[in-house]
């Protein structure tokens, strides 16, 4: 139960910190943090939580990561469902907290703002197609899992995994925010889409399917290049 609670808290922090920076600070008049700031915020949530709860739950914070670690032989199948439930609930609660904060500003419109939701087509920040979004999310998640499995390999330098993983997530956001607003995490996508509803829920399927497929591919790749000495 402590591990599940840790996943809840960690995912809560990821969604509140990452999506919160996008909703509240990205375009703040004159002093907005922009894409780079939002990308760094997501990376910092993972970095800080990895040090805080990595020794408790492994700090997955992401259903795709849990699937990837399972496929990579690092995580038991029996824990997949409880971990994913805890992660999704953490994301939803964080979305609720962010909703309360954001709507405290006069005139704030959740639907009009986008509320840091992920989307494709007309709901992509750069107008990218569904195919482009699908490919982007699969490939970004695939590389994220390769980095996670590699950085946490027993042969890797000890103690540096949180830094590599946090910076990898930052880089992923720097690449893909214009395409999909960057998901690579179904819990993160669900946590804010529920408060937007409508099109956000209609497109949510892609941000579950693509990250999980990418995670499984990443696990296959790392098992091949990492060999049997993992």
């Amino acid at each position: 139960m402590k591990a599940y609670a840790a996943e809840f808290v960690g995912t809560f922090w990821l969604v509140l910190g990452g999506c919160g920076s996008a909703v509240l600070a990205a375009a703040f008049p004159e002093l907005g943090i922009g894409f780079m700031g939002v990308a760094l915020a997501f990376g910092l949530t993972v970095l800080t939580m990895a040090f805080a709860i990595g020794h408790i739950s492994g700090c997955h914070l992401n259903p795709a990561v849990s699937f990837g670690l399972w496929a990579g032989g690092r995580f038991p199948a029996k824990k997949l469902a409880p971990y994913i439930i805890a992660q999704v609930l953490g994301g939803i609660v964080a979305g609720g907290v962010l909703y309360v904060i954001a709507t405290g500003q006069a005139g704030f419109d959740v639907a009009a703002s986008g509320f840091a939701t992920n989307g494709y087509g007309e709901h992509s920040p750069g107008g990218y197609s569904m195919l482009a979004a699908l490919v982007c999310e699969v490939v970004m998640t695939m590389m994220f899992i390769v980095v996670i499995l590699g950085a946490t390999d027993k042969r890797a330098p000890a103690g540096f995994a949180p830094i590599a993983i946090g910076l990898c997530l930052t880089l992923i956001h720097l690449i893909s925010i214009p395409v999909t607003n960057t998901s690579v995490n179904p819990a993160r996508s669900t946590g804010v889409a529920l408060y937007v509803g409508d099109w956000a829920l209609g497109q949510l399927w892609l941000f579950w399917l693509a990250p999980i497929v990418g995670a499984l591919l990443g696990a296959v790749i790392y098992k091949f290049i990492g060999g049997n000495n993992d």
Side-chain angles (χ1 to χ4, degrees):
M1 289 304 297
K2 289 183 178 180
Y4 306 148
E7 285 297 302
F8 175 92
V9 171
T11 312
F12 172 89
W13 185 232
L14 183 148
V15 174
L16 184 61
C19 295
S21 69
V23 172
L24 305 174
F28 190 79
E30 299 181 15
L31 298 176
I33 61 175
F35 281 0
M36 185 172 291
V38 173
L40 183 59
F42 272 101
L44 288 174
T45 62
V46 171
L47 174 64
T48 52
M49 277 294 115
F51 281 115
I53 65 169
H55 55 288
I56 300 171
S57 68
C59 192
H60 298 189
L61 317 185
N62 182 340
V65 170
S66 295
F67 269 106
L69 292 175
W70 164 73
R74 305 274 189 89
F75 189 66
K78 66 181 181 180
K79 291 186 178 180
L80 267 176
Y83 261 56
I84 291 171
I85 291 170
Q87 292 156 1
V88 172
L89 289 176
I92 292 171
V93 173
V97 171
L98 180 57
Y99 178 87
V100 171
I101 295 171
T103 55
Q105 182 184 51
F108 180 84
D109 187 315
V110 173
S113 73
F115 205 53
T117 45
N118 302 115
Y120 55 83
E122 65 178 309
H123 301 294
S124 157
Y128 288 84
S129 69
M130 181 180 73
L131 178 61
L134 183 67
V135 171
C136 183
E137 288 290 325
V138 168
V139 173
M140 293 300 132
T141 313
M142 178 183 76
M143 294 309 301
F144 192 35
I145 297 302
V146 170
V147 170
I148 290 171
L149 289 172
T152 56
D153 192 307
K154 63 183 180 182
R155 296 166 295 176
F160 291 98
I163 299 172
I165 295 167
L167 289 176
C168 180
L169 188 59
T170 298
L171 176 58
I172 286 169
H173 279 77
L174 288 174
I175 297 168
S176 60
I177 286 177
V179 183
T180 62
N181 237 359
T182 310
S183 172
V184 302
N185 183 340
R188 168 261 188 270
S189 299
T190 304
V192 290
L194 286 179
Y195 297 91
V196 175
D198 193 26
W199 67 265
L201 293 177
Q203 295 191 356
L204 186 58
W205 66 271
L206 187 145
F207 303 104
W208 273 87
L209 176 64
I212 290 174
V213 170
L216 297 178
L217 290 173
V220 170
I221 290 171
Y222 191 76
K223 287 179 77 172
F224 175 75
I225 63 176
N228 296 320
N229 298 319
D230 189 24

